Amino acid sequence: MNTHTVLTPLTTSISELKKNPMGILEAGQGQPVAVLNRNQPAFYCIPSESYEALLDKLEDMELALKVHARANEEEIDVELDDL
C-alpha cells in the first residue's frame, strides 16, 4: 500500500478540476488545492499571486545564501567615479 502526504487540507479530483477549474481555484480562497488522481496527489493548483510570492521568497533565499557566503570576503574600496 502506497501512502502519500497531502500538503494542504484542500483537495479535488482531476475530473472536478476539468469541469470547473476557476471554481476550484476560487473555492481554495487563495490557498493551494491538491489535485488527486486515483486518490493520490498528482499536483497542486495555486493562484498566480501565491506562485509569484513563492518565487519571490525563493529568490530572496538564494540572495541570502550569496550574502552569507560572501560575508567574510575581503572588502575592496571603490570610488564612484571609478565605475
Side-chain angles (χ1 to χ4, degrees):
M1 176 177 178
N2 290 338
T3 60
H4 298 277
T5 302
V6 178
L7 302 174
T8 180
L10 307 169
T11 63
T12 191
S13 67
I14 288 180
S15 302
E16 289 300 317
L17 182 68
K18 286 180 184 179
K19 289 179 191 175
N20 187 6
M22 291 309 295
I24 297 297
L25 196 59
E26 289 171 9
Q29 298 179 359
Q31 297 299 311
V33 177
V35 180
L36 308 178
N37 183 28
R38 298 187 176 132
N39 292 324
Q40 296 182 8
F43 60 92
Y44 291 88
C45 179
I46 63 172
S48 60
E49 295 86 14
S50 299
Y51 184 72
E52 291 167 7
L54 178 64
L55 291 181
D56 286 343
K57 285 185 180 191
L58 287 173
E59 182 181 12
D60 290 348
M61 290 172 63
E62 289 174 359
L63 290 173
L65 288 173
K66 286 181 183 180
V67 167
H68 183 68
R70 296 177 181 174
N72 296 324
E73 288 184 5
E74 182 180 337
E75 293 183 20
I76 300 171
D77 289 330
V78 177
E79 298 292 326
L80 285 178
D81 293 335
D82 293 341
L83 301 174

